[in-house]
């Protein structure tokens, strides 16, 4: 496959440093960047900008590797900076630990022609040459590394178009999806958040000719976030203000709601905060929401229903991924048929049980505690682009059985009670129907999560999610204890669906 290329004119040292920062936002372990150019072309300036951005310190010491041949940095993404000018042969490169460096982090290689035959085929070449008072750089290569860097440069162009072209970028956080986040700090101003949300890549068909994401109604573009953000803000919910957007490319520049932890300093739940979050849910669920929401003039997001197909494809994740992990073999057709029959009988009980706007991922990672604020403004809410119209009890279960935090039965109870009290205060509310729906949706969500966390390990190489499985099994036991779920509880028990397994 022919190499692709893109180029940039860098008028000064600051622009070269910013390009290093843009590269830092994109690189991953295994990437090899070949810095090609004459003495004084700016290779070291570019490398220094990249390393300092990964270190999160614009003054981080970055000595030249001219004499040591390699300098390594224990940054969040490790970097190994090679200068091969004094290399006498490719064999010396092996002695420097080049292969180990590439396996563990990013390799920046100056004078790569000294060991050209040892450079990986997937390397990217960054050719720098003087042009007038500045420099021109041509980045050429192919594959995922090139794609990531090209997108990062497009993000810088987006910032330029929003009049934040000189802002400093830093890695912020990501989640289990393809989305990524950065902080963007303009000189002398408060930081903003840059969301990188490419169009969802739909997987292969899994049922009725449709991919999983289509059946589960996962948001496919960033327009869903914008539309729901604006609706929630108008409804009195504290969500990030939208400073600038490019819906086609999937870039959003957002207000930074702060870094206040929803949990205590050791990561444990605080009962009062969970109760406050439940009261905010009660306010949201007590409102009528349009299912057609405008993201931009002429761009309307249709909020999907949390329908039977979506409910079922989610719980199927347990038999698709968790059961094979426990038993070492795919689930049998008989097990699948019985499982779906048991769940269909449960889903029949959801009819007319308080439908409304379901944020879908309302739990501690997506709630920012703003203790200096008052009322509902104390709670900043993010990550709601997958919202649906469905049983609102799902959100309460997401909060009160927080997948990433061990919520004790006592705090679960006070959280649910706070929600119920707020709904009762606001008007007529069928508490019995709600508590049954809560048990159903808690069982549905935790069955799904057992499958998702195993899938994140087995398919996506993210074993860190397996540590949550004992908690999710405990939550599922709690949900199945409701009398309305007796038959489903028996099915899980008889088919050993909650057994532990050796990760």
């Amino acid at each position: 496959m022919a190499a692709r290329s893109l180029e940039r004119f860098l008028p000064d040292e600051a622009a070269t440093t910013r390009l290093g920062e843009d590269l830092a936002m994109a690189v991953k372990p295994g990437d090899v960047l070949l810095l090609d150019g004459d003495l004084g072309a700016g290779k070291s300036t570019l490398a220094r900008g990249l390393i300092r951005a990964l270190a999160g310190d614009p003054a981080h010491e970055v000595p030249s590797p001219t004499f040591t041949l390699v300098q390594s940095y224990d940054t969040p993404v490790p970097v190994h900076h090679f200068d091969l000018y004094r290399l006498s042969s490719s064999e010396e490169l092996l002695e420097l630990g080049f292969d180990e460096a590439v396996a563990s982090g990013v390799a920046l290689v100056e004078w790569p022609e000294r060991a050209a035959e040892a450079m990986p085929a997937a390397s990217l070449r960054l050719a720098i040459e003087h042009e007038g008072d500045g420099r021109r750089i041509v980045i050429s290569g192919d594959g995922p590394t090139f794609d990531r860097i090209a997108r990062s440069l497009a993000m810088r162009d987006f910032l330029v178009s929003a009049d934040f072209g000189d802002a400093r970028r830093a890695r912020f956080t990501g989640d289990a999806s393809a989305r990524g986040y950065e902080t963007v700090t303009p000189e002398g101003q408060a930081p903003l958040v840059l969301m990188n949300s490419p169009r969802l890549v739909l997987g292969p068909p899994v049922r009725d000719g449709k991919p999983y994401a289509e059946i589960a109604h996962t948001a496919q573009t960033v327009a869903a976030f914008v539309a729901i953000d604006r609706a929630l803000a108008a409804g009195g919910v504290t969500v990030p203000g939208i400073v600038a957007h490019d819906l086609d490319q999937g870039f959003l520049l957002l207000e930074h709601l702060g870094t206040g932890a929803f949990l205590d300093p050791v990561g444990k739940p605080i009962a009062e905060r969970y109760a406050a979050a439940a009261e905010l849910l009660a306010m949201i669920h007590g409102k009528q929401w349009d299912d057609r929401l405008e993201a931009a003039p002429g761009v309307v997001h249709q909020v999907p229903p949390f329908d039977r197909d979506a409910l079922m494809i989610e719980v199927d994740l347990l038999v698709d991924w968790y059961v094979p992990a426990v038993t070492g073999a795919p689930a049998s057709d008989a097990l699948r048929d019985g499982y779906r029959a048991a769940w269909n009988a449960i889903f029949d009980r959801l009819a007319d049980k308080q439908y409304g706007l379901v944020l879908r991922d309302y739990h501690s990672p997506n709630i920012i505690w703003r203790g200096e604020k008052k009322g509902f403004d104390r709670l900043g809410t993010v990550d709601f682009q997958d919202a649906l119209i469905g049983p609102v009890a799902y959100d309460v279960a997401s909060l009160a059985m927080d997948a990433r935090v061990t919520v004790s039965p006592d705090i679960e109870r006070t959280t649910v009670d706070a929600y119920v009290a707020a709904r009762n205060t606001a008007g007529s509310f069928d508490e019995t129907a709600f508590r049954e729906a809560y048990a159903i949706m808690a069982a549905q969500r935790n069955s799904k999560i057992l499958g998702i966390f195993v899938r994140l390990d087995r398919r996506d190489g993210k074993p860190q999610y397996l540590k949550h499985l004992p908690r999710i099994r405990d939550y599922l036991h709690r949900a199945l204890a409701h009398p309305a779920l007796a038959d489903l509880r028996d099915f899980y028990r008889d088919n050993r669906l909650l057994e532990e397994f050796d990760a």
Side-chain angles (χ1 to χ4, degrees), residues 267-286:
K268 293 184 177 179
I270 299 173
E272 294 77 14
R273 294 181 186 178
Y274 275 74
E279 289 164 356
L280 173 58
L281 278 181
M283 184 273 279
I284 294 170
H285 295 162

Side-chain angles (χ1 to χ4, degrees), residues 151 154-155 158 194-196 222 244-246 249-253:
R151 187 157 179 87
M155 291 165 74
F158 167 66
L194 177 58
M195 180 195 288
N196 172 19
V222 78
H245 62 74
D246 185 328
Q249 293 198 88
F251 300 144
L252 295 181
L253 192 58

Side-chain angles (χ1 to χ4, degrees), residues 33 64 67 103 109 133 167-168 188 270 282 284 331 467:
L33 307 185
S64 170
F67 296 104
V109 186
D133 293 332
R168 185 163 55 88
I270 299 173
I284 294 170
K467 67 184 179 183

Side-chain angles (χ1 to χ4, degrees), residues 179-473:
R179 287 183 298 276
Y181 300 87
E182 301 173 10
T183 55
V184 172
T185 308
E187 186 70 31
Q189 298 183 44
L192 301 168
V193 173
L194 177 58
M195 180 195 288
N196 172 19
S197 183
R199 176 178 285 274
L200 183 68
V201 177
L202 297 176
V206 295
R207 187 172 300 167
D208 299 327
K210 298 178 180 179
Y212 176 90
E214 185 177 338
I215 299 169
H217 303 309
T218 305
Q220 298 183 26
T221 74
V222 78
F225 181 97
V226 175
I228 295 164
D229 181 280
R230 289 179 168 161
L232 288 172
V237 183
T238 298
V239 292
I242 298 171
V243 178
H245 62 74
D246 185 328
L247 299 185
D248 291 333
Q249 293 198 88
F251 300 144
L252 295 181
L253 192 58
L254 305 170
E255 174 191 7
H256 197 319
L257 295 182
T259 57
F262 187 63
L263 308 172
D264 74 8
V266 295
K268 293 184 177 179
I270 299 173
E272 294 77 14
R273 294 181 186 178
Y274 275 74
E279 289 164 356
L280 173 58
L281 278 181
M283 184 273 279
I284 294 170
H285 295 162
K287 289 179 177 288
Q288 293 293 320
W289 300 88
D290 194 344
D291 63 357
R292 287 177 52 83
L293 303 175
E294 187 175 73
V299 180
V300 174
H301 172 61
Q302 179 71 49
V303 183
F306 207 169
D307 54 25
R308 181 71 63 101
D309 288 343
L311 290 163
M312 188 63 77
I313 198 77
E314 289 188 344
V315 294
D316 272 350
L317 291 170
L318 184 142
V319 289
D320 290 342
W321 292 94
Y322 188 81
V323 167
V326 171
T327 65
S332 68
D333 290 344
L335 174 61
R336 287 181 176 276
D337 290 346
Y339 181 80
R340 288 174 183 160
W343 269 110
N344 269 314
I346 294 298
F347 291 148
D348 287 343
R349 303 180 69 95
L350 285 173
D352 302 321
K353 282 190 170 59
Q354 296 135 7
Y355 275 48
L357 184 67
V358 178
L359 301 185
R360 204 178 196 177
D361 224 7
Y362 189 77
H363 57 160
S364 58
N366 298 330
I367 306 172
I368 299 160
W369 183 253
R370 294 145 50 93
E372 75 283 3
K373 304 293 185 180
K374 302 294 183 183
F376 290 142
D377 197 26
R378 293 175 299 167
L379 298 149
T381 304
V382 299
D383 198 8
F384 38 70
Q385 59 280 328
D386 292 328
L388 304 168
I389 301 295
V392 295
Y394 182 93
D395 279 346
V396 187
S398 177
L399 174 67
M401 294 188 182
D402 198 323
R404 305 263 197 343
V405 183
T406 299
V407 179
S408 68
D410 284 345
I411 294 181
E412 180 199 351
R413 182 176 60 256
T414 59
T415 302
V416 176
D417 287 350
Y419 177 88
V420 169
R423 292 298 303 269
N424 278 323
T425 299
S428 176
F429 179 67
D430 187 340
E431 180 178 342
T432 301
F434 165 77
R435 290 189 180 275
E436 181 178 321
Y438 170 81
I440 292 171
M441 298 314 295
Q444 192 270 354
R445 177 173 169 81
N446 286 295
S447 295
K448 171 183 76 171
I449 292 175
L450 282 179
I452 286 177
F453 283 177
V454 173
R455 185 178 70 180
L456 284 165
D457 169 54
R458 300 296 167 95
R459 189 191 72 181
D460 302 334
K462 297 178 178 180
Q464 64 268 29
Y465 287 92
L466 295 180
K467 67 184 179 183
H468 301 299
L469 294 183
R471 176 187 310 118
I472 305 305
R473 284 192 293 265

